[in-house]
Each structure stands twice: as structure tokens, then as C-alpha cells.
Amino acid sequence: MMLLAGGIGEAPAAPCCSESRDERKKKNTEEKSDINAAAPVGREQVSEGIDDGDFLSYVSSFIEKEVGNDLKSLKKLGKLIEQMTENKVKLEEQVLTVSSEIPKRVQSALKNAEESKQFLNQFLEQETHLFSSISSHLLTSQPWMDDLGAKISQIEEIERHLAYLKWISQIEELSDNIQQYLMTSNVPEAASTLVAMTQLDTKLRESSCVHLLGFMRATVKFWHKILKDKLTSDFEEILTQLHWPFIAPPQSQAVGVSRPPSSHELYGNLEMLFCQLLKLQTSDELLTEPEQLPEKYCLPVSPPIILPIQIMLTPLQKRFRYHFRGNRQTNVISKPEWYLAQVLMWIGNHTQFLDEKIQPILDKAGSTVNARLEFSRGLMMLVLEKLASDIPCLLYDDNLFCHLVDEVLLFDRELHSAHSYPGTFANCMHILSEETCFQRWLTVERKFALQKMDSMLSSEAAWVSQYKDISDVDEMKVPDCAETFMTLLLVITDRYKNLPAASRKLQFLELQKDLVDDFRIRLTQVMKEETRAPLGFRYCAILNAVNYVSVVLADWADNVFFLQLQQAALEVLVESNALSKLQLGQLASMESSVFDDMVNLLERLKHDMLARQVDHAFREVKDAAKLYKKERWLSLPSQAEQAAMSLSSSACPFLVTLRDRLLQLGQQLCFSLFKMFWQTLAERLDVYIYQEVILANHFNEGGAAQLQFDMTRNLFPLFSRYCKRPENYFKHVKEACIVLNLNIGSALLLKDVLQTSSGQPPAAAAMNEVGIYKLAQQDVEILLNLRTNWPNLGK
């Protein structure tokens, strides 16, 4: 800064040569923009800050570029000199202009800096003075602040006392109002005032004034009891006039719903008292602790039953406890259906009255409560209490416990289907889901399922289809044991599908998987006893059973319920890190299902059994075809020498055997299994005949024609009842017959093409032209060499 200031007085005619290029760029950014615009040629020719050597080389290259070796170009020197001179003058003028402006700008910047420094010093002096003044003032005012703080504390304490007294006054005022309303029999206003008092209690709930809270709660409780007792008494009197509750179905219900002469006034009083009791709901919830079952039952959180419905439930609760508690003859632990049926009957008897008389009152009052569901929820609590007390008494008696579970499940199904009771409400499944009860349920379910499996597999009709005489129904030819087993699994699914917790459902799913695996093992054991007769009736029935179970489980995998279980299982596995990323991805993308392992094992067993059947049938057919292999194909008469073609006598045994086995298994196996059987058998026969009969012999014209007649007119038609084009399953045999029966000219031409274009497209085209697509070129050449009816080309 000092150096710059020292040079301000000087007025240089040109920029300093020792000044670097970067420094001048930094100072003269704006000025150089004008220079660049005015003298582009000069900027190209002269570069600032370059040394003499660079300058001389630049001049030499410039002259070389402009003049070169052409002497005629020297004429341009005059113009170049003039142009360079003009550019030099312009540059000097611009430099002088810039040099004169820079000192002015620097001087202005220094002046601004000095002024800013002076302002800053003034502010610092003011700040110091102000700080000392404030400190002095604070010291002086401190005693005043202490006195004022004490007075403010006293004022705040007085205000708290005043607020406390105001709360007491407000409570007493509301209490007096309730008393006055009751003295004038204005119960509706008294109930409304009690609601206001309850709201005050709610506002004070977080207060630390224990005595005030106690006074408030005692006052609410006092008036709540008086109002509740009075309204309850009046409400019960109205209900009595309506013959509530409706115990004996249609007569009592008709009395309650019909319209006696004074019904209008009666229902008007019912509505008035019902609404007044609704107003007491808040204070009743505040003062009354609802009866709850132990936490181990994991019941869903639900609001208390509204007060008027509680009163309507009271006589039914008394009846229930009278008949199903204590030493009454109706309280029999082995007869849970008695109290369950009683509750269902009560719900049904009162549904019409609740829907037609009570629900409109609730709707008019702006309540979202459903009267029928609220009534059902109250009765359900009686059932849950009864179950919770009875289950420990019969937990280890399998028959009684199983009977209880059956009745509870029937009750739960009826409650949901007939009375639309939501599954999100507390229900019997929450009691059955309690750990001890649930594990016992699983044990009993497994025990009885295994007993059922033992009995159905030992039954005389285990391997006979129930629908064997009904072809439309018996398409899968399912034996009785397999159908009974899948019905058992389906029943188990229906029993546990309404459980509230997914973890419980997954445990039942594991039980089903274990049962499927056990059934598969039992089928395998029975199958091993029948391996000596794999084409027999029982073996086929076992195979049908395996196939049926596999198909049904695969169908269940697409069921919404099991898809939900798959998602729940996925979440459990993600939490436990029990699966690889690939397996998790397959589960998440629904590529696999919860029954995949079981289905894979069953499919493996099915294919093993089917392969054993094919092997056995193929061996029988192969044994019967021994004579056909030894047929004298080389010396058979030609077709022209025979009046009519007939089946080779040596082919009859193996064709008859094949026909019998196809008919037998077509009747014993289901359609899908039989289709796999005959297709596999046909493919093996195709290879066998091709290799053991055709390639192992030579054929004259008559032998080739006889082979083609046996195959196309006798073997292939055996499979025509199962498909439209059976020859497609005998491609080796069909194409070999084509080659062996080509006329002499076509055969010679084909042979020549194959020999001259080995492995080339013309060979493939020639084979395709005569109908050969399956056989390779080498196979066709071998077949041509098996022909003996070639002309003598040497003569």
C-alpha cells in the first residue's frame, strides 16, 4: 500500500517493463478488455513480458509467414509497416489512458479505507462508554431489582392462590348447579353440567395440586353416582316395560319390537334416558375401572362398553353367571356348547331391537358406536371369562380339550358369519392363542391328525376312489386316503386361519408341513411293498395319491391366505437372518411358496415311481419284441408280390403287450400321469426300435415296406387315441422308414448329395425335402447303406 501511494504523484508515459504479466493482468483487467477490442492485430503480434529471444523468433516466424520465399511478396512490406505503425500508435494511446486512470482509482480506494477506519474507531469509543454506563446502571439498580423480584414472587403466589380458589369456586358452582337441577327434576341439564365438571377434571389431570384433584374427583364421583343411580333406575323401568331382555325367541322379541298403545311415549322416554346415560359415559370411564382379563391373553385394546348398553347387558350377565358359574346343573365343563349356544341365541334375539330402536338413537346423538356390535362385545366378554376359567381345568384331558376347541371354533365362525362380529375385536381365538393353551392345542391337533392318518391308510377302501363310477368327477382318480388327508389339512387350515397373530399361524403351517412329510413317508413305505408289481392297481393308486397331494399344495401356494403367511414368514426370516439374499429375493418376488419343499419331495417321488413303471412296461415290451428283432428283413417278398400287406407275425406279441399296458395304465392312472407315462414309453420305444431293429439289420425292398407297414399302420395307431399325430413321438423310426422306402432314383440322388456336400447346407436341404428333420446326415448315410436293393452300376 505504501509503495503504491508513493508512486501516485508520478505520471509514467508507459507501463513498467519489470512488471510481470500476471500483475499487470490483475490491475488492468477492465482496461485490457478495451485494448483487446481496439487492437486485435497488435495483440497477436506483440506479447507482453516475453524475452528477446522469443521476440526475435516471433518476428522471424511472422516475416516468414507474410513474405516467405516469394520475392514478389515484398510489395506487401509497405502496407505491413503502415499497419504496424497505426497499431503502435493506438496501443500507446490506450496505455497512456490506462496509466492515468489507475492512480485515481487507487487514491479513491485509500480514501474510503481511511474513512472506514475513522468510523470504526468512533464506534469502538461509543461501545466502551456505553458498556461502562450499563455496568454502572446495573450496579445502581440491583437493589431495586431484588425488591421487585420479591414483590413479583409474592404476586405470583397470590395469583396461584387466587387461581386455586377460582377452581374451587368453579367446582362448587357446578356442584350447586347440579343440585339445583336435580331439585327441579331437570336431569338432562344436571347430566350436561356433570359433563362440564368431568372436562375440568380432565384438564387438571396433569396438575401437581393433589388435594384439588382429590376434591374434584370426589365431587365428580358423588354426583355421578347420584345421577347414574337415578337414570339407571328409570332406564331399567323402561326396559322392563319393553319386556327386556328377550329370552324366549320369537314371542318376547315380538313384544319388545311391536307397538303397544303407549309405544310412542315409551320409546320417547327410552331415547331420552339413553341419551342422558350417554352423557355420563365420560365420567363413568373416569371413575370405573373396566374388568379385564390377564395380559397373557393379549386382547386388543378396546374402549369400554357405553353405559346404556352396560345397563341393558346387566340382566343377561346375571343370568349367564347364575347358570354357568358355581354348582348349577347347567354348568358342566364337558358341555361348552351350552353357554356358547346361549350367547349366540341372545345375540340373535336382540339384533332386531338393537338395529331398529337403539341404533337410530346413537346415530341421532352423533355417536359412531354400532349398537349390535357393542351388545355382542359385552356378551363376548362373558364367554372369554368363562373360557379363561374352564381351560386350565381340562387342559390335560385330550377329549374334553379337543371338544372345547371344536365348539369354540364353531362358535367363532357363527359369530363372524351370521352376526358380522369383526376379527379385530376381542374373541375366543385370543384365549386359544395363550401360550400354554396354544401349545396344548398344537399337540392335540397333531395327535388326532396322526390317528386319522393311521385309520385312513389302514382302511380297506384306502386306495379306492370314492368317485370311481363317476367319470367326470373322478378325473384325477384320487384314492380315498389322499382325499381324506387333504380334507384333513383343509380343516386344519379353517381351524387356525382366524388366529389373530401371524406367529401362531406359522406354527400351524409347520404342523401341516410335518403332516405332509409324514404322509409322504407313509406312501413311500407302502410303495416299496408294491415295487414287485409297479403296474398293479395299488401302485398306481399310490402314484395318483402323490400326484394329487402335490397338485393341491401347488394350488394352495397361490391362495391369498398362504401368500400372507409367506410374507409373514419372510419378515421373520429377515429379522433372524436365517436365509441368504438369493432365498430372500425368491421369497419376496413370490418365485417360491411356503410349500415348495414339500412339493419338490413329492414331485421327486412321483417321477421315481413313474420311471419305475415305464422301465417295467418297457422291459415287458422289449422281451416280447425279441422275435421281431430277428425277423428276416433281407429276404421278405416285395409289396408287388403280395395281394395285401399284413402285420408281421413276430410283431404281434410286443404290440399286444404294449396295447394291454396302455389300456391298463390308462384306466388306473390319472390323465396327467398317464400322459407322461405313454410319452416317455413312446420315446424309449422309438430309440429301441431304431437301434435294435433297424440299425441291426439290412433291408430289401420287401423288408423296408413291411417295416413301414408295421410301424405306420400298427404301432403308431396304438397311440392315436391319446394324441392326433403319434408319429411325432417316433421320429427316429418314422424318418428311418422314409429313408429305407425311398425309390431307387431318389435314394441314389440323396446318397450322391450327401457324399458330395458333407456337412453343407445342400445336404440338409436335400434331407428336409424328403421329410427328414430329426436324423443327422451320418445316420441317413448309415440307413442308405442298410438297403440292399441298389442297381448294379458296373454293368
Side-chain angles (χ1 to χ4, degrees), residues 365-525:
S367 175
T368 58
V369 174
N370 184 298
R372 177 161 43 87
L373 294 181
E374 195 77 353
F375 182 78
S376 302
R377 193 158 64 93
L379 292 178
M380 178 57 66
M381 290 307 299
L382 295 174
V383 175
L384 300 185
E385 292 171 2
K386 177 66 175 171
L387 284 175
S389 63
D390 282 0
I391 285 178
C393 301
L394 47 80
L395 202 57
Y396 298 100
D397 188 319
D398 289 349
N399 292 322
L400 289 181
F401 182 78
C402 188
H403 176 65
L404 173 69
V405 172
D406 289 341
E407 292 298 330
V408 166
L409 292 175
L410 289 173
F411 169 80
D412 189 71
R413 187 178 298 115
E414 179 72 14
L415 192 66
H416 289 300
S417 60
H419 302 291
S420 304
Y421 189 81
T424 54
F425 285 8
N427 57 62
C428 299
M429 305 306 287
H430 291 93
I431 304 298
L432 295 182
S433 296
E434 188 270 325
E435 182 64 26
T436 305
C437 179
F438 182 77
Q439 293 303 326
R440 187 61 186 162
W441 183 12
L442 272 180
T443 303
V444 172
E445 202 78 47
R446 185 187 301 274
K447 174 184 175 182
F448 282 99
L450 293 175
Q451 290 179 358
K452 182 68 174 177
M453 288 169 60
D454 290 336
S455 64
M456 68 189 183
L457 286 173
S458 60
S459 170
E460 294 182 358
W463 306 109
V464 180
S465 173
Q466 297 178 0
Y467 314 104
K468 61 180 179 179
D469 299 327
I470 310 174
S471 58
D472 294 340
V473 179
D474 195 36
E475 183 179 344
M476 296 194 72
K477 295 180 171 57
V478 186
D480 183 65
C481 63
E483 187 167 5
T484 305
F485 175 71
M486 295 311 296
T487 303
L488 173 65
L489 289 186
L490 187 61
V491 169
I492 292 175
T493 302
D494 289 337
R495 289 160 72 84
Y496 78 83
K497 69 187 305 181
N498 290 325
L499 284 170
S503 59
R504 299 301 192 199
K505 296 178 185 177
L506 290 174
Q507 292 183 58
F508 258 103
L509 179 63
E510 290 302 317
L511 169 62
Q512 289 180 304
K513 289 182 179 180
D514 292 344
L515 293 177
V516 172
D517 198 48
D518 188 89
F519 187 68
R520 178 187 60 83
I521 293 172
R522 290 170 187 245
L523 291 178
T524 305
Q525 292 170 347

Side-chain angles (χ1 to χ4, degrees), residues 457 463 519-546 601-602 604-613:
L457 286 173
W463 306 109
F519 187 68
R520 178 187 60 83
I521 293 172
R522 290 170 187 245
L523 291 178
T524 305
Q525 292 170 347
V526 179
M527 178 269 294
K528 289 180 179 179
E529 298 174 359
E530 303 293 328
T531 50
R532 294 181 181 179
L535 303 183
F537 169 77
R538 178 170 286 195
Y539 193 93
C540 292
I542 297 169
L543 182 54
N544 286 330
V546 173
L601 291 173
L602 290 167
R604 185 184 305 172
L605 176 59
K606 180 179 77 173
H607 288 295
D608 290 344
M609 293 180 68
L610 199 60
R612 190 175 287 110
Q613 285 187 322

Side-chain angles (χ1 to χ4, degrees), residues 779-792:
D779 296 330
V780 176
E781 292 176 351
I782 293 172
L783 290 170
L784 289 172
N785 291 329
L786 295 179
R787 293 171 57 122
T788 61
N789 57 334
W790 296 108
N792 190 353

